[in-house]
Amino acid sequence: MSTPTLVDALKRFNRKERYWLIRNALGPTSERLDEGFRARLAEAIGKDIPATAWWAMDYHLDWLVGALTLVAQGDRGFEAQSNDAGLVNGNQEDMDLVVAFDDTLLMIEAKGESAWSNAQFQSKVARLEKLRAAGLLPASIKIFFVLTSPHEPKFLVPEEGAAWQAWLCNPAGRPMHVPLHMPDDFVKVTRWDAERQAASRTGTCWKIVAARSSEIV
């Protein structure tokens, strides 16, 4: 096996059944991202995204370590690797969407109803920084981390005394963001306290109520 391209290496690990179910259900047209979505991503990162860009969903960060190792080492990437740097965690921490073309890699994290979490966000940033420190993200690979949600997150902050890394940020110094278009009339099922007429984790009833995803920032 010769040294694979970035896209070819990423494909080798992409065995997520949800992805393949969608590809089977929607057919050949599902191979390409929507033109409008690509345009929004392009505006966020300041770089055009070709119609042929490859994509995957729920892509494990451990898989990303493996793919980048194959790009860096070719056949030697199949040899046992030291994990002293803690690059591989053996868990299912993932990126919601990965888009790749040429030597460009976009990692996209989405939130619809739930709020953004500093801890979760910084955990993923820290793992990506480990890849950079290990030499698996050389300057030749352009990496972007993009957030998508109905509203731009207001409460994400860097660790105390630190600043956001440049590859995370838009020109304003904030994490890159694209709007996630969602209906605003969802409902949900919740546990319910009939006496108090309020949602309650200890309620003995349940009730269908409005799901206010558009208010989550």
Side-chain angles (χ1 to χ4, degrees):
M1 174 184 171
S2 59
T3 301
T5 66
L6 174 62
V7 170
D8 286 342
L10 291 167
K11 286 181 177 180
R12 293 289 300 274
F13 292 88
N14 184 36
R15 59 189 192 277
K16 179 66 68 172
E17 47 290 304
R18 198 173 309 167
Y19 168 87
W20 288 108
L21 175 60
I22 289 174
R23 290 295 311 278
N24 276 256
L26 300 182
T29 58
S30 64
E31 185 175 6
R32 296 196 172 192
L33 295 169
D34 173 70
E35 182 179 358
F37 183 69
R38 288 189 289 108
R40 294 196 297 276
L41 285 178
E43 183 178 0
I45 69 172
K47 184 174 185 176
D48 288 340
I49 298 172
T52 55
W54 176 82
W55 68 273
M57 59 190 294
D58 301 332
Y59 200 90
H60 294 193
L61 291 181
D62 281 357
W63 298 354
L64 181 61
V65 173
L68 291 174
T69 298
L70 290 182
V71 171
Q73 300 182 14
D75 288 343
R76 291 189 299 107
F78 287 97
E79 299 172 2
Q81 309 282 330
S82 169
N83 200 33
D84 289 346
L87 296 181
V88 171
N89 288 357
N91 59 26
Q92 296 193 27
E93 188 173 27
D94 62 20
M95 299 304 303
D96 293 329
L97 185 70
V98 169
V99 176
F101 57 93
D102 301 329
D103 292 321
T104 300
L105 176 63
L106 287 78
M107 288 168 289
I108 302 157
E109 192 73 1
K111 292 292 183 187
E113 180 179 3
S114 57
W116 291 103
S117 160
N118 266 304
Q120 182 187 42
F121 180 67
Q122 290 175 357
S123 172
K124 295 186 178 184
V125 171
R127 289 198 66 182
L128 296 173
E129 283 297 328
K130 282 185 178 181
L131 292 176
R132 190 182 298 277
L136 294 180
L137 283 174
S140 59
I141 295 180
K142 307 303 180 187
I143 180 174
F144 301 93
F145 193 174
V146 181
L147 308 180
T148 182
S149 56
H151 297 280
E152 188 170 353
K154 298 177 181 178
F155 306 116
L156 288 179
V157 294
E159 293 182 346
E160 187 174 354
W164 295 123
Q165 298 292 333
W167 57 273
L168 285 170
C169 295
N170 58 26
R174 292 287 299 164
M176 285 179 279
H177 178 268
V178 297
L180 180 64
H181 299 159
M182 294 175 60
D184 58 5
D185 58 350
F186 287 117
V187 294
K188 64 181 180 180
V189 171
T190 187
R191 296 282 293 275
W192 190 259
D193 185 321
E195 183 177 345
R196 294 175 50 238
Q197 287 294 296
S200 171
R201 291 182 180 179
T202 60
T204 58
C205 300
W206 64 270
K207 183 175 173 58
I208 299 172
V209 299
R212 304 183 183 280
S213 60
S214 62
E215 295 181 2
I216 298 297
V217 294

